[in-house]
């Protein structure tokens, strides 16, 4: 019996030594394998699968201007983005104004005409292109009071008047062939289209109108461009 007890004790000791050796070998292998350590570190930091990788994508969307509701935010109209020119009203050329125009008038009568004619020129001196169209307001100052010209003809499409260029229109009036003094003309008042500010000029045509019965104005004004376009 004693011999059997010694043998059993030796077997127990040997088995313990063998188990310890196996455990030490596994620990050494794990420590020497960097890929195993990296895998373990990644697994522990990933949590439930919606960690840093998902938040990086979300932050990228925010930096691109996506709001919390998931819809893109449009740039303001006046931010300078887009293809618009950004000048004047929604990128359009501004209208011509009285202060930006140089107004002049000259006699346009041609021998053989039955009526007198004055050509009024509007030169763009504003420093930038502008749009003009329609009819100018025209009044003749006379010894019998002001006479407003009546519009005649159809206005053309809006016209871009380049800086430094001129556009003309005509004013026609009856010639005084009665032999009497008639109604004396003392001045010409011109109001550019869509403006309220006027310019008063010297009258360049015949100095009088025939006396009429007052049934209507015999002074006519044509639309912008009706007398040709100057240089």
């Amino acid at each position: 019996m004693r011999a059997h007890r010694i043998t059993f004790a030796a077997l127990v000791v040997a088995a313990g030594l063998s188990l310890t050796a196996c455990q030490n070998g596994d620990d050494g292998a794990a420590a020497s394998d960097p890929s195993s350590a990296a895998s373990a570190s990644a697994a522990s930091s990933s949590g439930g699968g919606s960690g840093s990788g998902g938040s990086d994508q979300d932050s990228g969307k925010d930096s691109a201007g996506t709001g919390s509701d998931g819809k893109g935010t449009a740039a303001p109209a006046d931010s300078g983005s887009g293809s618009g020119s950004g000048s004047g009203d929604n990128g359009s050329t501004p209208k011509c104004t009285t202060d930006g125009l140089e107004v002049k008038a000259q006699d346009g009568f041609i021998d053989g005409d039955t009526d007198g004619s004055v050509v009024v020129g509007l030169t763009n001196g504003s420093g930038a292109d502008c749009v003009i169209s329609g009819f100018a307001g025209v009044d003749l100052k006379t010894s019998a009071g002001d006479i407003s010209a009546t519009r005649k003809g159809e206005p053309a499409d809006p016209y871009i008047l380049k800086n430094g260029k001129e556009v003309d229109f005509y004013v026609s009036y009856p010639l005084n062939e009665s032999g009497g003094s008639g109604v004396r003309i003392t001045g010409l008042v011109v109001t550019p289209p869509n403006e309220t500010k006027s310019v008063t000029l010297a009258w360049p045509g015949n100095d009088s109108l025939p006396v009429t019965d007052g049934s209507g104005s015999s002074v006519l004004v044509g639309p912008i461009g009706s007398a040709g376009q100057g240089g």
Side-chain angles (χ1 to χ4, degrees):
M1 289 296 296
R2 182 179 179 183
H4 290 292
R5 289 177 181 175
I6 293 174
T7 302
F8 178 76
L11 291 173
V12 171
V13 171
L17 292 174
S18 176
L19 180 62
T20 302
C22 290
Q23 291 175 346
N24 290 340
D26 292 340
D27 292 342
S32 63
D33 187 354
S35 64
S36 299
S39 299
S41 175
S44 64
S45 63
S46 63
S50 60
S52 60
S55 64
D56 287 344
Q57 292 176 354
D58 292 341
S59 63
K61 291 179 181 178
D62 289 342
S63 65
T66 302
S68 60
D69 59 357
K71 298 180 180 179
T73 303
D78 59 352
S79 66
S81 63
S83 59
S85 65
S87 61
D89 182 11
N90 196 24
S92 63
T93 305
K95 73 171 186 176
C96 299
T97 63
T98 303
D99 290 336
L101 294 171
E102 299 171 7
V103 186
K104 64 182 181 180
Q106 61 183 2
D107 188 10
F109 177 74
I110 299 175
D111 289 340
D113 288 350
T114 57
D115 291 320
S117 179
V118 166
V119 176
V120 179
L122 305 175
T123 302
N124 182 5
S126 66
D129 297 350
C130 62
V131 172
I132 192 167
S133 64
F135 289 84
V138 171
D139 295 282
L140 270 60
K141 301 180 74 67
T142 76
S143 57
D146 292 352
I147 298 176
S148 295
T150 299
R151 296 176 177 181
K152 182 179 181 180
E154 294 296 328
D157 292 335
Y159 174 79
I160 296 180
L161 185 59
K162 298 291 186 180
N163 182 47
K165 297 299 183 179
E166 176 183 333
V167 65
D168 303 327
F169 64 89
Y170 74 87
V171 178
S172 68
Y173 61 97
L175 297 172
N176 181 16
E177 297 176 338
S178 64
S181 60
V183 177
R184 184 169 176 269
I185 304 173
T186 59
L188 172 66
V189 181
V190 177
T191 307
N194 303 310
E195 285 287 281
T196 57
K197 185 176 182 179
S198 302
V199 176
T200 301
L201 306 171
W203 175 251
N206 285 9
D207 59 5
S208 67
L209 297 172
V211 176
T212 66
D213 59 6
S215 59
S217 173
S218 55
V219 180
L220 305 175
V221 56
I224 295 297
S226 58
Q229 180 180 331

